[in-house]
Each structure stands twice: as C-alpha cells, then as structure tokens.
Amino acid sequence: SENATSEYIKDSIISLIDILINDDPSDLITVLASPFINISFKDIVEIKDKIEQDNITDINDLKKINSMKHFFGIYDSFKNNSMSMYKGFGILFNNYLLPTAITLGKDQFLTTNDIYNSIVEFFETSVLKDYNDITTYIQISSEVSEMMIGDNDSKVKLHTVHSAKGKQFDAVIYVPKKTKPSRI
C-alpha cells in the first residue's frame, strides 16, 4: 500500500474517523470528496459554501441537505453504536468502507483492510484508551507494519501481529507489549 492512491485512501479514512469521533466538520469537504461518500463536485461546492456562509460548526446542522444522506447514513450508523465504539468500527468497515474499497481496486482494498486491522489491534492490544488516539495509532501502525533490518542475507522483519497474517517465516519471535502476571 505504498502508492499515492493508497495514501489518499488512508488519509480519507483517517479524516472520516476523525469526524465520526470528534464531530469536527473541518475535514468534511475532504471526506465528502472521497470515493467512500462519492458526492458530486457541484454538491461539494454548495456544501462548502453553506458551511462558510452560515458559519456552521456543528455537523448535524447539515442533515437537511439531500446530497448528504449517504454520509449521514454512515455517521448515524456509527454514532448509534457509540456505546461500543469497537462495534461501531466493525459496522463502519464491514458495511461501508470495505465493500466500497473492493470496487476501487486491490491496493485500495488492501489499504482499507490494513487500517481496519490496525483498529482491531488498537482495541485488542493497545494500552491507549483515549479514542482520539485511534487516528495516531493508524498512522503509526501503517508506517511500521513492515521494516527491514540488516543486510539481504540476514533480514529481520518487524510486523504487527495483524500485518503478519498469511506470511510464512522460518522463525518467529513474538514480543507482547504487556505481559500478564502468572497466577500460581
């Protein structure tokens, strides 16, 4: 997922997640222009003008705009599961982002799936508990998902647990972030 299109997909998803968590409309135009929402250019310009003219700071003030129905379908679906944010992310990716990413191509789907795996990893293994850290976690985990150390004859590959799925290695050393005390 190291091409410009995949970076665009990653940035679009991170902006969407930021809006869903923080209700901040500052990146809304970027999200609306992404292939996940797919609003026409004309409608995006009209929405941008309305935000500027009416000085809109609450994203819910845009619910009456007809072209925003798909976005608010995603938004409401996520917010309705905010009691379990983990479940909300599952619905977001399984019902909206991954199906759309499949239609965009292999690299875009793999990028979207990697981001979803990073979110799963965040909830299952991360010591971070502030949901605002999810976007930072996604950015960091995608940058360090695979690093090479050493020369070509003796490579050590560092992977997150989820990014190593489906790969084969002669030897694996698993280093957990946190260990549980043994109960004897």
Side-chain angles (χ1 to χ4, degrees):
S1 61
E2 291 296 321
N3 64 44
T5 307
S6 295
E7 274 301 310
Y8 171 67
I9 294 297
K10 181 176 102 175
D11 292 343
S12 296
I13 292 172
I14 288 172
S15 294
L16 175 61
I17 290 170
D18 198 36
I19 287 172
L20 294 174
I21 292 174
N22 300 314
D23 293 323
D24 180 13
S26 62
D27 279 343
L28 183 62
I29 300 305
T30 303
V31 170
L32 295 178
S34 77
F36 297 107
I37 307 300
N38 200 18
I39 293 179
S40 74
F41 183 73
K42 178 184 175 232
D43 289 335
I44 291 171
V45 170
E46 289 174 5
I47 293 166
K48 183 178 184 289
D49 290 344
K50 180 163 181 60
I51 290 171
E52 290 172 358
Q53 287 171 359
D54 296 347
N55 199 22
I56 293 176
T57 57
D58 184 0
I59 201 163
N60 289 301
D61 291 342
L62 300 171
K63 280 194 173 187
K64 295 176 184 171
I65 299 174
N66 193 37
S67 59
M68 297 278 293
K69 280 185 181 179
H70 179 64
F71 170 79
F72 279 108
I74 295 170
Y75 180 86
D76 291 339
S77 175
F78 183 83
K79 291 295 186 176
N80 290 339
N81 290 290
S82 62
M83 295 302 280
S84 169
M85 195 165 290
Y86 187 46
K87 182 179 177 183
F89 277 111
I91 291 169
L92 173 67
F93 277 84
N94 291 319
N95 293 354
Y96 299 103
L97 301 183
L98 288 169
T100 300
I102 288 172
T103 66
L104 299 174
K106 179 182 174 185
D107 289 339
Q108 292 74 20
F109 174 76
L110 292 174
T111 300
T112 305
N113 194 52
D114 284 346
I115 292 170
Y116 183 52
N117 288 334
S118 293
I119 290 172
V120 168
E121 187 175 53
F122 176 87
F123 282 100
E124 292 179 357
T125 64
S126 177
V127 295
L128 302 171
K129 296 301 175 204
D130 185 358
Y131 295 132
N132 291 316
D133 292 333
I134 290 175
T135 55
T136 304
Y137 190 86
I138 291 167
Q139 290 170 330
I140 292 170
S141 66
S142 67
E143 290 170 10
V144 298
S145 65
E146 187 173 329
M147 296 187 320
M148 300 290 200
I149 301 174
D151 59 15
N152 288 337
D153 294 334
S154 68
K155 290 182 182 173
V156 174
K157 296 181 181 181
L158 300 176
H159 295 274
T160 62
V161 172
H162 290 286
S163 69
K165 284 182 184 175
K167 297 182 180 181
Q168 295 181 355
F169 303 99
D170 294 332
V172 175
I173 300 171
Y174 173 71
V175 182
K177 282 187 170 185
K178 196 173 171 182
T179 58
K180 295 180 182 177
S182 61
R183 297 179 192 184
I184 298 179

PDB file of all heavy atoms in Angstrom, residues 17-35:
ATOM      1  N   ILE A  17     -12.807   9.016  10.152  1.00  0.00           N
ATOM      2  CA  ILE A  17     -12.802   8.560  11.550  1.00  0.00           C
ATOM      3  C   ILE A  17     -12.724   9.750  12.495  1.00  0.00           C
ATOM      4  O   ILE A  17     -13.422   9.788  13.516  1.00  0.00           O
ATOM      5  CB  ILE A  17     -11.641   7.565  11.787  1.00  0.00           C
ATOM      6  CG1 ILE A  17     -11.937   6.253  11.054  1.00  0.00           C
ATOM      7  CG2 ILE A  17     -11.411   7.329  13.280  1.00  0.00           C
ATOM      8  CD1 ILE A  17     -10.761   5.288  11.013  1.00  0.00           C
ATOM      9  N   ASP A  18     -11.910  10.724  12.149  1.00  0.00           N
ATOM     10  CA  ASP A  18     -11.786  11.917  12.984  1.00  0.00           C
ATOM     11  C   ASP A  18     -13.126  12.655  13.085  1.00  0.00           C
ATOM     12  O   ASP A  18     -13.518  13.116  14.157  1.00  0.00           O
ATOM     13  CB  ASP A  18     -10.696  12.835  12.424  1.00  0.00           C
ATOM     14  CG  ASP A  18     -10.218  13.848  13.430  1.00  0.00           C
ATOM     15  OD1 ASP A  18     -10.134  13.516  14.631  1.00  0.00           O
ATOM     16  OD2 ASP A  18      -9.924  14.983  13.021  1.00  0.00           O
ATOM     17  N   ILE A  19     -13.843  12.744  11.990  1.00  0.00           N
ATOM     18  CA  ILE A  19     -15.159  13.387  12.002  1.00  0.00           C
ATOM     19  C   ILE A  19     -16.142  12.575  12.842  1.00  0.00           C
ATOM     20  O   ILE A  19     -16.896  13.131  13.645  1.00  0.00           O
ATOM     21  CB  ILE A  19     -15.703  13.568  10.565  1.00  0.00           C
ATOM     22  CG1 ILE A  19     -14.930  14.680   9.860  1.00  0.00           C
ATOM     23  CG2 ILE A  19     -17.197  13.888  10.577  1.00  0.00           C
ATOM     24  CD1 ILE A  19     -15.253  14.805   8.390  1.00  0.00           C
ATOM     25  N   LEU A  20     -16.124  11.258  12.690  1.00  0.00           N
ATOM     26  CA  LEU A  20     -17.058  10.410  13.421  1.00  0.00           C
ATOM     27  C   LEU A  20     -16.827  10.472  14.926  1.00  0.00           C
ATOM     28  O   LEU A  20     -17.773  10.446  15.709  1.00  0.00           O
ATOM     29  CB  LEU A  20     -16.958   8.965  12.933  1.00  0.00           C
ATOM     30  CG  LEU A  20     -17.408   8.718  11.489  1.00  0.00           C
ATOM     31  CD1 LEU A  20     -17.127   7.284  11.082  1.00  0.00           C
ATOM     32  CD2 LEU A  20     -18.884   9.053  11.320  1.00  0.00           C
ATOM     33  N   ILE A  21     -15.582  10.552  15.328  1.00  0.00           N
ATOM     34  CA  ILE A  21     -15.271  10.575  16.758  1.00  0.00           C
ATOM     35  C   ILE A  21     -15.467  11.971  17.355  1.00  0.00           C
ATOM     36  O   ILE A  21     -16.029  12.116  18.435  1.00  0.00           O
ATOM     37  CB  ILE A  21     -13.832  10.079  17.006  1.00  0.00           C
ATOM     38  CG1 ILE A  21     -13.737   8.586  16.681  1.00  0.00           C
ATOM     39  CG2 ILE A  21     -13.402  10.337  18.451  1.00  0.00           C
ATOM     40  CD1 ILE A  21     -12.332   8.026  16.749  1.00  0.00           C
ATOM     41  N   ASN A  22     -15.017  12.988  16.651  1.00  0.00           N
ATOM     42  CA  ASN A  22     -14.981  14.337  17.219  1.00  0.00           C
ATOM     43  C   ASN A  22     -16.074  15.279  16.730  1.00  0.00           C
ATOM     44  O   ASN A  22     -16.161  16.402  17.214  1.00  0.00           O
ATOM     45  CB  ASN A  22     -13.616  14.983  16.944  1.00  0.00           C
ATOM     46  CG  ASN A  22     -12.499  14.192  17.556  1.00  0.00           C
ATOM     47  OD1 ASN A  22     -12.583  13.795  18.708  1.00  0.00           O
ATOM     48  ND2 ASN A  22     -11.444  13.947  16.792  1.00  0.00           N
ATOM     49  N   ASP A  23     -16.880  14.870  15.755  1.00  0.00           N
ATOM     50  CA  ASP A  23     -17.921  15.728  15.181  1.00  0.00           C
ATOM     51  C   ASP A  23     -17.366  17.043  14.650  1.00  0.00           C
ATOM     52  O   ASP A  23     -18.044  18.064  14.643  1.00  0.00           O
ATOM     53  CB  ASP A  23     -19.021  16.039  16.205  1.00  0.00           C
ATOM     54  CG  ASP A  23     -19.817  14.817  16.583  1.00  0.00           C
ATOM     55  OD1 ASP A  23     -20.062  13.974  15.701  1.00  0.00           O
ATOM     56  OD2 ASP A  23     -20.195  14.698  17.759  1.00  0.00           O
ATOM     57  N   ASP A  24     -16.131  17.022  14.203  1.00  0.00           N
ATOM     58  CA  ASP A  24     -15.477  18.239  13.725  1.00  0.00           C
ATOM     59  C   ASP A  24     -15.628  18.329  12.207  1.00  0.00           C
ATOM     60  O   ASP A  24     -15.096  17.497  11.486  1.00  0.00           O
ATOM     61  CB  ASP A  24     -14.000  18.216  14.124  1.00  0.00           C
ATOM     62  CG  ASP A  24     -13.243  19.444  13.664  1.00  0.00           C
ATOM     63  OD1 ASP A  24     -13.902  20.434  13.261  1.00  0.00           O
ATOM     64  OD2 ASP A  24     -12.009  19.420  13.704  1.00  0.00           O
ATOM     65  N   PRO A  25     -16.343  19.343  11.696  1.00  0.00           N
ATOM     66  CA  PRO A  25     -16.570  19.438  10.255  1.00  0.00           C
ATOM     67  C   PRO A  25     -15.409  20.027   9.459  1.00  0.00           C
ATOM     68  O   PRO A  25     -15.532  20.231   8.261  1.00  0.00           O
ATOM     69  CB  PRO A  25     -17.796  20.334  10.159  1.00  0.00           C
ATOM     70  CG  PRO A  25     -17.732  21.195  11.355  1.00  0.00           C
ATOM     71  CD  PRO A  25     -17.092  20.357  12.434  1.00  0.00           C
ATOM     72  N   SER A  26     -14.247  20.258  10.089  1.00  0.00           N
ATOM     73  CA  SER A  26     -13.144  20.918   9.367  1.00  0.00           C
ATOM     74  C   SER A  26     -12.626  20.091   8.189  1.00  0.00           C
ATOM     75  O   SER A  26     -12.230  20.662   7.185  1.00  0.00           O
ATOM     76  CB  SER A  26     -11.998  21.266  10.325  1.00  0.00           C
ATOM     77  OG  SER A  26     -11.469  20.101  10.897  1.00  0.00           O
ATOM     78  N   ASP A  27     -12.638  18.772   8.282  1.00  0.00           N
ATOM     79  CA  ASP A  27     -12.196  17.914   7.172  1.00  0.00           C
ATOM     80  C   ASP A  27     -13.370  17.348   6.378  1.00  0.00           C
ATOM     81  O   ASP A  27     -13.193  16.438   5.578  1.00  0.00           O
ATOM     82  CB  ASP A  27     -11.352  16.748   7.694  1.00  0.00           C
ATOM     83  CG  ASP A  27      -9.915  17.139   7.968  1.00  0.00           C
ATOM     84  OD1 ASP A  27      -9.482  18.190   7.460  1.00  0.00           O
ATOM     85  OD2 ASP A  27      -9.225  16.391   8.678  1.00  0.00           O
ATOM     86  N   LEU A  28     -14.547  17.883   6.602  1.00  0.00           N
ATOM     87  CA  LEU A  28     -15.745  17.322   5.971  1.00  0.00           C
ATOM     88  C   LEU A  28     -15.677  17.348   4.449  1.00  0.00           C
ATOM     89  O   LEU A  28     -16.032  16.369   3.795  1.00  0.00           O
ATOM     90  CB  LEU A  28     -16.994  18.060   6.452  1.00  0.00           C
ATOM     91  CG  LEU A  28     -18.318  17.530   5.912  1.00  0.00           C
ATOM     92  CD1 LEU A  28     -18.544  16.092   6.355  1.00  0.00           C
ATOM     93  CD2 LEU A  28     -19.467  18.409   6.356  1.00  0.00           C
ATOM     94  N   ILE A  29     -15.196  18.418   3.866  1.00  0.00           N
ATOM     95  CA  ILE A  29     -15.141  18.527   2.408  1.00  0.00           C
ATOM     96  C   ILE A  29     -14.217  17.449   1.837  1.00  0.00           C
ATOM     97  O   ILE A  29     -14.543  16.819   0.835  1.00  0.00           O
ATOM     98  CB  ILE A  29     -14.694  19.946   1.980  1.00  0.00           C
ATOM     99  CG1 ILE A  29     -15.680  20.992   2.506  1.00  0.00           C
ATOM    100  CG2 ILE A  29     -14.537  20.042   0.473  1.00  0.00           C
ATOM    101  CD1 ILE A  29     -17.135  20.770   2.106  1.00  0.00           C
ATOM    102  N   THR A  30     -13.092  17.206   2.497  1.00  0.00           N
ATOM    103  CA  THR A  30     -12.173  16.140   2.069  1.00  0.00           C
ATOM    104  C   THR A  30     -12.873  14.794   2.097  1.00  0.00           C
ATOM    105  O   THR A  30     -12.751  13.994   1.169  1.00  0.00           O
ATOM    106  CB  THR A  30     -10.935  16.104   2.990  1.00  0.00           C
ATOM    107  OG1 THR A  30     -10.317  17.383   2.978  1.00  0.00           O
ATOM    108  CG2 THR A  30      -9.949  15.040   2.562  1.00  0.00           C
ATOM    109  N   VAL A  31     -13.618  14.538   3.156  1.00  0.00           N
ATOM    110  CA  VAL A  31     -14.324  13.262   3.301  1.00  0.00           C
ATOM    111  C   VAL A  31     -15.425  13.129   2.258  1.00  0.00           C
ATOM    112  O   VAL A  31     -15.600  12.067   1.648  1.00  0.00           O
ATOM    113  CB  VAL A  31     -14.887  13.107   4.732  1.00  0.00           C
ATOM    114  CG1 VAL A  31     -15.816  11.918   4.836  1.00  0.00           C
ATOM    115  CG2 VAL A  31     -13.744  12.995   5.728  1.00  0.00           C
ATOM    116  N   LEU A  32     -16.166  14.198   2.019  1.00  0.00           N
ATOM    117  CA  LEU A  32     -17.258  14.142   1.045  1.00  0.00           C
ATOM    118  C   LEU A  32     -16.736  13.890  -0.365  1.00  0.00           C
ATOM    119  O   LEU A  32     -17.414  13.265  -1.180  1.00  0.00           O
ATOM    120  CB  LEU A  32     -18.071  15.435   1.081  1.00  0.00           C
ATOM    121  CG  LEU A  32     -18.825  15.730   2.377  1.00  0.00           C
ATOM    122  CD1 LEU A  32     -19.551  17.059   2.276  1.00  0.00           C
ATOM    123  CD2 LEU A  32     -19.787  14.605   2.721  1.00  0.00           C
ATOM    124  N   ALA A  33     -15.527  14.362  -0.655  1.00  0.00           N
ATOM    125  CA  ALA A  33     -14.940  14.164  -1.982  1.00  0.00           C
ATOM    126  C   ALA A  33     -14.308  12.787  -2.133  1.00  0.00           C
ATOM    127  O   ALA A  33     -13.946  12.397  -3.241  1.00  0.00           O
ATOM    128  CB  ALA A  33     -13.896  15.247  -2.249  1.00  0.00           C
ATOM    129  N   SER A  34     -14.191  12.050  -1.054  1.00  0.00           N
ATOM    130  CA  SER A  34     -13.562  10.724  -1.121  1.00  0.00           C
ATOM    131  C   SER A  34     -14.484   9.736  -1.826  1.00  0.00           C
ATOM    132  O   SER A  34     -15.705   9.936  -1.886  1.00  0.00           O
ATOM    133  CB  SER A  34     -13.237  10.223   0.288  1.00  0.00           C
ATOM    134  OG  SER A  34     -14.410   9.750   0.934  1.00  0.00           O
ATOM    135  N   PRO A  35     -13.936   8.660  -2.344  1.00  0.00           N
ATOM    136  CA  PRO A  35     -14.770   7.670  -3.028  1.00  0.00           C
ATOM    137  C   PRO A  35     -15.711   6.919  -2.081  1.00  0.00           C
ATOM    138  O   PRO A  35     -16.637   6.262  -2.539  1.00  0.00           O
ATOM    139  CB  PRO A  35     -13.744   6.714  -3.657  1.00  0.00           C
ATOM    140  CG  PRO A  35     -12.478   6.950  -2.933  1.00  0.00           C
ATOM    141  CD  PRO A  35     -12.517   8.342  -2.422  1.00  0.00           C
TER     142      PRO A  35
END
